[in-house]
Amino acid sequence: MSERRRVIPGHGPRRAGAASLALVLGGAGVLLGVTAGSAQAAEVSYATRCVPPAAAGLPPVDGTTKAEITAPATAKVGDEVEVVWKFVQAASKNPDLIDLPANSVQPSGTLKAAGAQTTAVAMEGPRENPAIPKGGDMVLADMKGKLKLTAPGEVKLTPDAYDINVMSTDTKCAPTAAVQPAATINVTASDGTSTPTPTPTGTGTGSPTPTGTPTKTPTSTPTSTPSATGSEDDGTGQTDFTGKEVQVPYACNTPIGEKNATSPVQINAKKNGGSYDLTVRFKGSVMDSPAPIPKGSVKPSMEVVLGGADKGTVHVEGPTNAEDIKAGDPMTIPDLKGTYKPGASGESTLSPGVLTVKALGTTTTCTPTKSEVSLKLDTAEQASGASGGGSAGSSGSGGTSGTASGGGLAETGAESNGALKALGLVAGTAVLLGGAVFTFMPGRRRLR
């Protein structure tokens, strides 16, 4: 009998140590459970309708939202718990219109709490996303919110409406059918007593639903300057020729449809031997930037139309933005430059022609609906000059010969004859991005 009860050397302390460790861990678990239980995560899917901004002129889009809600399984009255909303799938994909730059999309929304207390929990995520190519799946950051627990019982959490803010414009998404709760918190009284039967109390203290970042209203508009006169006769020795400012009506073909706009344009010239260095200027600061613009993302160009004695076009272009543009900074249009080599002798006229803007991978082309002469020059024919209908200009301050290629996004204003914010660089980008990012996405789970 004593042999059977003999303790093998070393085994007793090992068992005692294991028991002590279990006791310590158990005690730690008790201590951790005093404030909130282990986190739980559950996924729910619901039919959603997303409404783009009215200025985009796009219809609502119906899709499916899949959201994963994470919250503590247990907590006590008085606790403030964090709730996380992960987008397993947004009700959209990025359409084949424009590449969304990194960190340009921000989600916010509302999570409904019901049961022992009823309230709305404000949820918001950071403006953090990878670059999203045209046609790619929308990637939205996780949203977080705080819920102050005020009554014992079961508190059920249900995802509700959310906004997608893209460069200062909002697309609003809301459920079109009943949504099932995604998580439940079992709330005990602060003294540790048992949980009573849950009854709605309506004493929640949620914060207001976020409405997204308001669109920045343009604070400056193009200003007109008195018309200036050009050269009457190059024989006078004059080298600088200032054109008059003309109001050019444009019909623009944009990624979101046809738009009309009018813009003030001035063409100036400087004689350089037998040729002229041209500068096309869009007058005034169009607006303040509604969102950060990465450097090198926007480039405008134009075909200046020749008339009178000469024929053809001269290609002029502006540089891409050399630096990042901060939100709220004034938006200015760079001068477009190129070289004009006359192809005929006599009085030649120069008028603003087809405008293109290349921005964030998109193309917009704006064609004047009426010719407006800005500058007249008395020209002398040069070898291999413009006359004959071809594109003129070789090089000069970034100008290149040949017909303009590429082009880009223009914001031309929702109303007819609105100021040509097309060259406001990002105004239209904001409308396009905010209004067009939501198209139907087939029900497939986004890889995580």
Side-chain angles (χ1 to χ4, degrees), residues 12 15 48 60 190 205 281 327 330 341 365 388 402 442:
R15 289 182 180 177
T48 307
S190 57
T205 58
R281 187 161 294 164
K341 180 184 288 188
T365 303

Side-chain angles (χ1 to χ4, degrees), residues 193-227:
T193 57
S194 60
T195 303
T197 302
T199 56
T201 63
T203 58
T205 58
S207 57
T209 302
T211 57
T213 305
T215 301
K216 181 75 174 180
T217 302
T219 58
S220 59
T221 56
T223 57
S224 299
T225 58
S227 298

